[in-house]
């Protein structure tokens, strides 16, 4: 059995397996820790293992590599990227700074290390509001790259946020009409929404909670409700259904799936530990600057 083989090789390599909430159930089964972007960054920071097998997408593995320069960080499939992260490049931030030399740049964790190196502070969906509120109130702030998370944070904090027009294609597949229909069909269900959702701006007022992936899991754990409409990438439903088999979960869209996350499979995770591939590294001159906004975020929230 592959799962047993993974347990053996993991010990041999002195490795820890970190998996994002969107990964398939089989991968989550072998993971030492499953969580959201913030939780995974913290788990990487804490581990004593020599090797981190990062079952998630590339920017997450890069973040782990920068926070743990003495460890080897592996990703099962090097092509597991993030379309949202690809929607901004460092030069675009430099151009904005020329126009707003006193401004600050906040990047969502879904950015490359090269982009983070140009930013002042990093945020995740869990802590974005708290991090932005910690910045001086009079400053112009460029928020990259997610337009919808940025709009949500702007509405909540009332800060002078300049929005970038990036988006996550998986979350864009979630449409307001589908949510209206599901709410009609399941009137007792709570509606949980990730702030990356393309319809956040229109449907936010309907959401019982706007939460990160881990925030959604914790919310379900503490809620007396039996039914939930879940507006995020559908991989999260694996974890929800495994952890709360007595509850019902309805995906807001059958099409909300991230093909990058799905590139990682149990077989590739095993081969990754066997061959010690694919190692994720960040050039030292970029890592030195890019780790600062991440560390700033981790200090704040
Ligand atoms: P979370 O931090 O909520 O897990 O979200 C990360 C992500 O990439 C969502 O698309």
């Amino acid at each position: 059995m592959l799962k047993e083989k993974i347990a053996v090789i993991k010990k041999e390599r002195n490795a820890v397996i970190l998996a994002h909430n969107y990964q398939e159930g089989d991968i989550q089964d072998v993971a030492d820790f499953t969580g959201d972007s913030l939780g995974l960054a913290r788990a990487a920071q804490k581990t004593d293992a020599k090797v981190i097998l990062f079952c998630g997408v590339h920017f997450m593995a890069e973040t782990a590599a920068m926070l743990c320069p003495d460890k080897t960080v592996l990703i099962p499939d090097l092509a597991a990227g993030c379309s949202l992260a690809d929607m901004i490049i460092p030069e675009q931030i430099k151009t904005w700074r020329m126009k707003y030399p006193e401004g600050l740049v906040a990047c969502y964790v879904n950015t490359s290390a090269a982009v983070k190196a140009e930013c002042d502070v990093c945020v995740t969906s869990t802590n974005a509001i708290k991090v932005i509120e910690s910045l001086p109130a009079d400053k112009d702030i460029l928020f990259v790259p997610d337009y919808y998370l940025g709009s949500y944070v702007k509405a909540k904090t009332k800060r002078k946020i300049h929005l970038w027009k990036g988006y996550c294609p998986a979350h864009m597949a979630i449409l307001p009409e589908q949510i209206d229909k599901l709410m009609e069909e399941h009137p007792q269900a709570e509606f949980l929404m990730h702030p990356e959702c393309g319809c956040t701006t229109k449907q936010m007022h309907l959401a019982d909670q706007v939460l990160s992936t881990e925030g959604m899991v914790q919310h379900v754990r503490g809620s007396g409700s039996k039914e939930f409409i879940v507006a995020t990438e559908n991989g999260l439903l694996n974890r929800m259904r495994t952890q709360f088999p007595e509850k019902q979960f309805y995906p807001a869209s059958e099409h909300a799936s991230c093909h990058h996350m799905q590139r990682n499979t149990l077989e590739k995770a095993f081969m990754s530990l066997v061959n010690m591939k694919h190692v994720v590294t960040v050039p030292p001159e970029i890592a030195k600057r890019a780790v600062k906004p991440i560390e700033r975020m981790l200090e704040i929230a």
Side-chain angles (χ1 to χ4, degrees):
M1 281 285 290
L2 205 47
K3 286 184 185 170
E4 278 94 68
K5 284 188 186 171
I6 289 177
V8 173
I9 185 97
K10 197 179 79 165
K11 237 190 192 151
E12 274 171 31
R13 299 285 191 223
N14 188 4
V16 69
I17 303 179
L18 306 183
H20 188 263
N21 282 323
Y22 293 159
Q23 292 287 254
E24 63 172 63
D26 275 349
I27 292 184
Q28 294 188 3
D29 288 348
V30 297
D32 297 282
F33 178 84
T34 300
D36 66 1
S37 307
L38 182 63
L40 292 167
R42 290 201 187 281
Q45 248 185 341
K46 272 195 226 142
T47 182
D48 293 328
K50 287 261 170 293
V51 174
I52 297 174
L53 174 60
F54 210 113
C55 297
V57 292
H58 196 262
F59 74 82
M60 297 177 183
E62 270 191 339
T63 303
M66 290 189 282
L67 290 172
C68 317
D70 55 329
K71 301 191 194 310
T72 304
V73 177
L74 303 173
I75 191 165
D77 188 322
L78 207 47
C82 172
S83 309
L84 170 60
D86 291 342
M87 291 182 190
I88 179 103
I89 55 170
E91 286 64 32
Q92 291 169 310
I93 293 177
K94 289 181 197 161
T95 305
W96 187 84
R97 282 203 194 272
M98 284 198 294
K99 221 168 147 195
Y100 297 92
E102 300 295 315
L104 296 172
V105 183
C107 60
Y108 190 25
V109 69
N110 299 42
T111 41
S112 66
V115 164
K116 288 188 179 83
E118 302 302 327
C119 297
D120 297 292
V121 73
C122 185
V123 309
T124 71
S125 52
T126 303
N127 61 21
I129 292 174
K130 208 165 164 197
V131 173
I132 296 295
E133 278 176 342
S134 77
L135 302 176
D138 59 328
K139 296 277 187 191
D140 284 282
I141 301 167
L142 174 64
F143 188 96
V144 297
D146 192 72
Y147 178 84
Y148 299 99
L149 174 61
S151 311
Y152 173 64
V153 173
K154 186 173 178 169
K156 290 283 174 194
T157 63
K158 312 268 187 286
R159 292 299 173 95
K160 282 196 273 176
I161 293 182
H162 300 229
L163 297 168
W164 196 255
K165 293 224 172 89
Y167 60 91
C168 161
H171 284 90
M172 279 299 269
I174 300 169
L175 303 173
E177 308 80 77
Q178 294 163 320
I179 293 172
D180 290 342
K181 188 166 168 275
L182 281 164
M183 287 177 94
E184 240 176 76
E185 285 168 6
H186 308 286
Q188 305 302 326
E190 278 191 64
F191 172 35
L192 309 181
M193 177 187 249
H194 194 279
E196 272 179 43
C197 277
C199 53
T200 335
T201 38
K202 285 195 198 117
Q203 305 284 97
M204 204 158 56
H205 62 286
L206 293 178
D208 295 300
Q209 299 285 334
V210 178
L211 295 163
S212 74
T213 55
E214 192 59 31
M216 287 187 193
V217 174
Q218 301 310 336
H219 179 83
V220 170
R221 179 168 291 123
S223 167
S225 303
K226 292 268 171 280
E227 295 174 274
F228 300 86
I229 297 165
V230 181
T232 191
E233 207 274 344
N234 290 335
L236 182 66
L237 298 183
N238 294 326
R239 184 164 168 213
M240 288 185 160
R241 288 180 177 136
T242 309
Q243 289 201 350
F244 313 106
E246 73 289 2
K247 303 198 179 199
Q248 290 294 316
F249 300 98
Y250 311 113
S253 166
E254 296 294 342
H255 305 293
S257 62
C258 171
H259 67 277
H260 285 295
M261 282 282 179
Q262 287 161 7
R263 283 179 184 275
N264 294 327
T265 60
L266 197 62
E267 177 73 29
K268 287 184 196 169
F270 173 61
M271 291 315 290
S272 190
L273 286 171
V274 170
N275 298 323
M276 290 298 282
K277 271 187 181 171
H278 307 273
V279 179
V280 176
T281 55
V282 178
E285 65 283 5
I286 289 180
K288 208 169 101 192
R289 291 188 294 135
V291 78
K292 285 188 188 149
I294 302 170
E295 286 176 344
R296 218 161 277 149
M297 165 186 82
L298 294 173
E299 275 162 29
I300 298 165

